[in-house]
Amino acid sequence: MTETTASPAPFTPPTRFAVPGRIAVSEQAASVWQTATLAEIRRETPRASTFRLAVPAWPGHLPGQHLMLRLTAGDGHVAQRHYSIASAPDDSGHIELTLDHVEDGEVSGWFHTVAAAGDRIEVRGPLSGFFAWPGDRPALLVGAGSGVVPLMSMVRHHRARNLSVPVRLLASARTPEDLLYAREYGPETTPVFTRRAPAGVPVGRLTAAHVAPLLAEGPPGGWEAYVCGSNSFAEHAARLLVGAGQPVDRIRIERFG
């Protein structure tokens, strides 16, 4: 007889569903600034690194949520930015952010050129329930560049919890060297390269040929689609999804730039 093990229930921090598919955010947790300590820096690509923060009182998050980060200079100047959380929810007291080094970027520039282990940073969150994925529905993830950051949180969550719902990721990057988390991807991920690709892999933008088969062979009940990237990429990906039959009300978009 084969022994089976039930999949664990999706991780859910102390929040509640407000309406189907949208998750309420704890206003108390989202409004309180906490002091985080930079614990580790890992290089991901030539222009992006992951910054692991120790946040002992972190209330927990869901994949797809983000936080507000605040830096205060010695002269009192304050800079704040929103950043997606890259790590899966767990109880380690740590969260991870993956940041591109943006030219003339005030905050990303500090992280990439000045920050060191032991530095203290203020954070508050988690924020936003619209883009969150608790792991309860099949998820079709489409991202480009740093837009894969919140989507990677979902993939990591799916693996860590051994969830039974299917997940697929289309990850677009200019070149193999620019592909975030390249070493972590498995059969759930299809990379798309727009400038240069490995031998035998086509070069070009995300097309209907990438999206349509996933919609045609989707799971019972269909996908919940999550799209993250620049404004132009988000519009392009959403049009492809709709053209392939994805219901508009089941596409969630997070964009930047």
Side-chain angles (χ1 to χ4, degrees):
M1 183 174 68
T2 303
E3 182 176 308
T4 59
T5 303
S7 296
F11 173 86
T12 306
T15 60
R16 61 180 178 82
F17 282 96
V19 296
R22 296 192 182 187
I23 299 166
V25 174
S26 166
E27 292 184 5
Q28 181 177 1
S31 64
V32 175
W33 287 100
Q34 300 186 54
T35 299
T37 303
L38 182 56
E40 180 188 356
I41 302 173
R42 299 195 310 272
R43 176 66 65 181
E44 299 286 354
T45 73
R47 296 196 57 78
S49 292
T50 291
F51 300 86
R52 183 170 176 83
L53 305 176
V55 194
W58 185 248
H61 66 280
L62 287 170
Q65 290 186 298
H66 64 272
L67 55 71
M68 176 74 85
L69 183 147
R70 181 167 70 185
L71 297 177
T72 303
D75 62 2
H77 175 70
V78 175
Q80 298 184 165
R81 298 290 187 274
H82 288 273
Y83 289 118
S84 294
I85 301 168
S87 48
D90 60 29
D91 58 0
S92 68
H94 291 79
I95 53 176
E96 293 186 351
L97 310 175
T98 301
L99 310 184
D100 279 332
H101 189 177
V102 179
E103 292 296 333
D104 301 320
E106 187 176 26
V107 174
S108 71
W110 180 85
F111 270 97
H112 280 273
T113 62
V114 177
D119 285 342
R120 294 177 179 270
I121 302 123
E122 292 179 287
V123 299
R124 65 177 177 88
L127 305 173
S128 178
F130 176 75
F131 204 69
W133 179 69
D136 59 339
R137 304 178 184 182
L140 176 55
L141 317 176
V142 187
S146 59
V148 302
V149 173
L151 308 181
M152 193 60 194
S153 177
M154 299 175 189
V155 171
R156 287 167 168 164
H157 178 55
H158 186 269
R159 292 177 182 169
R161 301 289 293 182
N162 193 28
L163 300 179
S164 59
V165 295
V167 166
R168 298 291 183 271
L169 170 62
L170 295 171
S172 177
R174 293 180 177 181
T175 71
E177 293 77 21
D178 295 316
L179 182 64
L180 288 173
Y181 317 121
R183 294 182 298 275
E184 292 189 51
Y185 294 133
E188 81 287 317
T189 300
T190 300
V192 179
F193 299 106
T194 61
R195 301 284 180 85
R196 180 170 49 80
V201 177
V203 176
R205 293 185 76 189
L206 185 75
T207 68
H210 297 103
V211 173
L214 295 172
L215 270 294
E217 303 167 7
W223 299 102
E224 197 77 11
Y226 293 80
V227 177
C228 188
S230 65
N231 279 316
S232 60
F233 175 83
E235 294 296 332
H236 174 67
R239 283 195 296 269
L240 291 177
L241 287 167
V242 172
Q246 177 71 10
V248 174
D249 62 353
R250 296 188 64 181
I251 302 174
R252 299 159 191 260
I253 299 176
E254 187 167 276
R255 65 188 81 211
F256 52 82

